[in-house]
Amino acid sequence: MAKFESNYCPINETLKIISGKWHLLIIRDLFFGKKRFKEFKEDKPNLSNKVLTECLKDLESNGLISKTNLDDSKITEYSLTEEGRRMNRILYELAIFTLEKDDSATDAESEEFIKIFKDTLDID
């Protein structure tokens, strides 16, 4: 599709890539140091092995993550590609949007979360 057609929207195109229920959470996990299949499932009890496998394949086929098999073993690790690392600002803005709306958090708690996300996501 030509980019200048009236029905083209770059936001919609991005959402096609990351709109799976678990996609952004997997990307977030990678920023926070998770690398292996079982680590992605730790805090997601409703995420099945099949769906996680499909999610990882989607993210890899869209160039956001890469997969490495360690030392001829069956251990696989995932990492963000350069393109995947560019998702940092999207994740940061999502976090900030919610923190700014959350009346239950104290200012100190919100500031701590903001610092954690800025540091982890490498936001200037």
Side-chain angles (χ1 to χ4, degrees):
M1 175 180 304
K3 291 186 183 209
F4 299 105
E5 289 182 17
S6 63
N7 61 349
Y8 175 81
C9 175
I11 294 169
N12 189 48
E13 297 304 309
T14 300
L15 287 174
K16 287 179 186 177
I17 296 170
I18 62 170
S19 65
K21 178 178 180 178
W22 303 103
H23 286 71
L24 284 175
L25 295 176
I26 299 303
I27 293 169
R28 178 213 54 200
D29 286 350
L30 286 159
F31 273 107
F32 279 84
K34 294 184 180 185
K35 297 178 181 182
R36 296 187 182 167
F37 192 91
K38 68 178 183 174
E39 293 174 324
F40 298 129
K41 290 194 63 166
E42 289 172 344
D43 62 344
K44 300 170 200 69
N46 297 326
L47 176 56
S48 70
N49 287 347
K50 179 182 177 186
V51 171
L52 177 55
T53 298
E54 290 171 7
C55 178
L56 292 167
K57 285 180 182 179
D58 285 347
L59 292 170
E60 186 179 15
S61 70
N62 283 300
L64 299 177
I65 67 171
S66 62
K67 175 172 77 169
T68 304
N69 293 320
L70 302 178
D71 302 325
D72 296 327
S73 69
K74 292 186 178 186
I75 298 172
T76 301
E77 287 191 348
Y78 296 88
S79 60
L80 291 163
T81 62
E82 186 63 34
E83 190 169 345
R85 294 198 64 73
R86 291 180 55 211
M87 300 296 295
N88 67 335
R89 294 197 178 277
I90 293 170
L91 292 173
Y92 178 75
E93 291 299 330
L94 286 169
I96 296 306
F97 178 81
T98 299
L99 287 170
E100 289 175 349
K101 293 176 60 81
D102 186 359
D103 293 336
S104 67
T106 66
D107 287 346
E109 289 169 329
S110 291
E111 290 300 320
E112 181 61 24
F113 272 115
I114 290 169
K115 182 181 179 341
I116 290 168
F117 274 92
K118 273 187 172 182
D119 292 346
T120 304
L121 299 173
D122 195 25
I123 301 293
D124 299 327

mmCIF file of all heavy atoms in Angstrom, residues 73-89:
data_model
loop_
_atom_site.group_PDB
_atom_site.id
_atom_site.type_symbol
_atom_site.label_atom_id
_atom_site.label_comp_id
_atom_site.label_asym_id
_atom_site.label_seq_id
_atom_site.Cartn_x
_atom_site.Cartn_y
_atom_site.Cartn_z
ATOM 1 N N SER A 73 22.837 -26.244 22.808
ATOM 2 C CA SER A 73 21.868 -26.821 23.743
ATOM 3 C C SER A 73 20.469 -26.447 23.288
ATOM 4 O O SER A 73 20.270 -25.744 22.299
ATOM 5 C CB SER A 73 22.116 -26.302 25.158
ATOM 6 O OG SER A 73 21.793 -24.931 25.233
ATOM 7 N N LYS A 74 19.515 -26.924 24.041
ATOM 8 C CA LYS A 74 18.132 -26.590 23.732
ATOM 9 C C LYS A 74 17.715 -25.296 24.415
ATOM 10 O O LYS A 74 16.564 -24.907 24.354
ATOM 11 C CB LYS A 74 17.217 -27.733 24.147
ATOM 12 C CG LYS A 74 17.419 -28.972 23.316
ATOM 13 C CD LYS A 74 16.413 -30.023 23.655
ATOM 14 C CE LYS A 74 16.635 -31.228 22.742
ATOM 15 N NZ LYS A 74 15.613 -32.235 22.908
ATOM 16 N N ILE A 75 18.654 -24.620 25.063
ATOM 17 C CA ILE A 75 18.352 -23.365 25.744
ATOM 18 C C ILE A 75 18.327 -22.238 24.722
ATOM 19 O O ILE A 75 19.278 -22.033 23.977
ATOM 20 C CB ILE A 75 19.372 -23.066 26.853
ATOM 21 C CG1 ILE A 75 19.316 -24.160 27.922
ATOM 22 C CG2 ILE A 75 19.111 -21.700 27.458
ATOM 23 C CD1 ILE A 75 20.403 -24.056 28.964
ATOM 24 N N THR A 76 17.224 -21.543 24.697
ATOM 25 C CA THR A 76 17.047 -20.428 23.775
ATOM 26 C C THR A 76 16.902 -19.144 24.574
ATOM 27 O O THR A 76 16.201 -19.116 25.577
ATOM 28 C CB THR A 76 15.788 -20.640 22.913
ATOM 29 O OG1 THR A 76 15.925 -21.857 22.187
ATOM 30 C CG2 THR A 76 15.572 -19.499 21.950
ATOM 31 N N GLU A 77 17.579 -18.125 24.117
ATOM 32 C CA GLU A 77 17.433 -16.805 24.715
ATOM 33 C C GLU A 77 16.967 -15.833 23.654
ATOM 34 O O GLU A 77 17.319 -15.950 22.475
ATOM 35 C CB GLU A 77 18.742 -16.317 25.329
ATOM 36 C CG GLU A 77 19.101 -17.018 26.603
ATOM 37 C CD GLU A 77 20.252 -16.364 27.345
ATOM 38 O OE1 GLU A 77 20.949 -15.494 26.785
ATOM 39 O OE2 GLU A 77 20.445 -16.741 28.511
ATOM 40 N N TYR A 78 16.178 -14.863 24.111
ATOM 41 C CA TYR A 78 15.649 -13.835 23.230
ATOM 42 C C TYR A 78 16.235 -12.490 23.639
ATOM 43 O O TYR A 78 16.533 -12.260 24.801
ATOM 44 C CB TYR A 78 14.118 -13.793 23.324
ATOM 45 C CG TYR A 78 13.480 -15.064 22.853
ATOM 46 C CD1 TYR A 78 13.267 -16.119 23.721
ATOM 47 C CD2 TYR A 78 13.118 -15.227 21.521
ATOM 48 C CE1 TYR A 78 12.699 -17.313 23.281
ATOM 49 C CE2 TYR A 78 12.553 -16.401 21.068
ATOM 50 C CZ TYR A 78 12.347 -17.442 21.956
ATOM 51 O OH TYR A 78 11.787 -18.614 21.509
ATOM 52 N N SER A 79 16.377 -11.617 22.669
ATOM 53 C CA SER A 79 16.866 -10.272 22.959
ATOM 54 C C SER A 79 16.195 -9.294 21.999
ATOM 55 O O SER A 79 15.693 -9.676 20.943
ATOM 56 C CB SER A 79 18.389 -10.194 22.822
ATOM 57 O OG SER A 79 18.782 -10.536 21.509
ATOM 58 N N LEU A 80 16.192 -8.040 22.404
ATOM 59 C CA LEU A 80 15.641 -7.002 21.558
ATOM 60 C C LEU A 80 16.615 -6.668 20.444
ATOM 61 O O LEU A 80 17.820 -6.605 20.667
ATOM 62 C CB LEU A 80 15.375 -5.735 22.377
ATOM 63 C CG LEU A 80 14.253 -5.823 23.396
ATOM 64 C CD1 LEU A 80 14.357 -4.690 24.408
ATOM 65 C CD2 LEU A 80 12.899 -5.810 22.708
ATOM 66 N N THR A 81 16.093 -6.451 19.265
ATOM 67 C CA THR A 81 16.909 -5.947 18.170
ATOM 68 C C THR A 81 16.987 -4.427 18.330
ATOM 69 O O THR A 81 16.325 -3.842 19.200
ATOM 70 C CB THR A 81 16.251 -6.266 16.813
ATOM 71 O OG1 THR A 81 14.980 -5.609 16.766
ATOM 72 C CG2 THR A 81 16.103 -7.774 16.603
ATOM 73 N N GLU A 82 17.749 -3.794 17.491
ATOM 74 C CA GLU A 82 17.811 -2.329 17.519
ATOM 75 C C GLU A 82 16.413 -1.741 17.306
ATOM 76 O O GLU A 82 16.006 -0.793 17.977
ATOM 77 C CB GLU A 82 18.790 -1.814 16.457
ATOM 78 C CG GLU A 82 19.019 -0.329 16.516
ATOM 79 C CD GLU A 82 19.656 0.140 17.823
ATOM 80 O OE1 GLU A 82 20.470 -0.601 18.400
ATOM 81 O OE2 GLU A 82 19.317 1.247 18.274
ATOM 82 N N GLU A 83 15.680 -2.326 16.377
ATOM 83 C CA GLU A 83 14.312 -1.861 16.127
ATOM 84 C C GLU A 83 13.426 -2.083 17.352
ATOM 85 O O GLU A 83 12.616 -1.235 17.709
ATOM 86 C CB GLU A 83 13.730 -2.575 14.912
ATOM 87 C CG GLU A 83 12.429 -1.996 14.447
ATOM 88 C CD GLU A 83 11.989 -2.531 13.098
ATOM 89 O OE1 GLU A 83 12.795 -3.130 12.375
ATOM 90 O OE2 GLU A 83 10.815 -2.328 12.779
ATOM 91 N N GLY A 84 13.596 -3.210 18.023
ATOM 92 C CA GLY A 84 12.835 -3.493 19.229
ATOM 93 C C GLY A 84 13.157 -2.512 20.345
ATOM 94 O O GLY A 84 12.276 -2.096 21.092
ATOM 95 N N ARG A 85 14.417 -2.119 20.450
ATOM 96 C CA ARG A 85 14.822 -1.157 21.479
ATOM 97 C C ARG A 85 14.172 0.213 21.254
ATOM 98 O O ARG A 85 14.012 0.980 22.194
ATOM 99 C CB ARG A 85 16.340 -1.035 21.526
ATOM 100 C CG ARG A 85 17.011 -2.347 22.000
ATOM 101 C CD ARG A 85 18.409 -2.162 22.458
ATOM 102 N NE ARG A 85 18.522 -1.326 23.633
ATOM 103 C CZ ARG A 85 18.194 -1.663 24.886
ATOM 104 N NH1 ARG A 85 17.687 -2.837 25.126
ATOM 105 N NH2 ARG A 85 18.366 -0.829 25.893
ATOM 106 N N ARG A 86 13.785 0.478 20.015
ATOM 107 C CA ARG A 86 13.112 1.746 19.713
ATOM 108 C C ARG A 86 11.699 1.793 20.295
ATOM 109 O O ARG A 86 11.071 2.846 20.314
ATOM 110 C CB ARG A 86 13.067 1.977 18.201
ATOM 111 C CG ARG A 86 14.456 2.249 17.629
ATOM 112 C CD ARG A 86 14.457 2.471 16.146
ATOM 113 N NE ARG A 86 13.546 3.547 15.779
ATOM 114 C CZ ARG A 86 12.887 3.594 14.632
ATOM 115 N NH1 ARG A 86 13.011 2.637 13.741
ATOM 116 N NH2 ARG A 86 12.085 4.592 14.357
ATOM 117 N N MET A 87 11.215 0.681 20.821
ATOM 118 C CA MET A 87 9.907 0.644 21.471
ATOM 119 C C MET A 87 9.968 1.267 22.866
ATOM 120 O O MET A 87 8.943 1.432 23.519
ATOM 121 C CB MET A 87 9.407 -0.811 21.581
ATOM 122 C CG MET A 87 9.247 -1.527 20.255
ATOM 123 S SD MET A 87 7.996 -0.800 19.195
ATOM 124 C CE MET A 87 6.552 -1.104 20.149
ATOM 125 N N ASN A 88 11.157 1.637 23.311
ATOM 126 C CA ASN A 88 11.324 2.162 24.670
ATOM 127 C C ASN A 88 10.438 3.363 24.950
ATOM 128 O O ASN A 88 9.836 3.477 26.015
ATOM 129 C CB ASN A 88 12.788 2.467 24.974
ATOM 130 C CG ASN A 88 13.374 3.605 24.163
ATOM 131 O OD1 ASN A 88 12.920 3.928 23.056
ATOM 132 N ND2 ASN A 88 14.417 4.214 24.682
ATOM 133 N N ARG A 89 10.345 4.271 24.020
ATOM 134 C CA ARG A 89 9.542 5.483 24.256
ATOM 135 C C ARG A 89 8.042 5.172 24.307
ATOM 136 O O ARG A 89 7.298 5.807 25.062
ATOM 137 C CB ARG A 89 9.828 6.530 23.199
ATOM 138 C CG ARG A 89 11.257 7.039 23.291
ATOM 139 C CD ARG A 89 11.451 8.347 22.559
ATOM 140 N NE ARG A 89 12.804 8.797 22.713
ATOM 141 C CZ ARG A 89 13.255 9.470 23.773
ATOM 142 N NH1 ARG A 89 12.461 9.748 24.758
ATOM 143 N NH2 ARG A 89 14.517 9.849 23.830
#
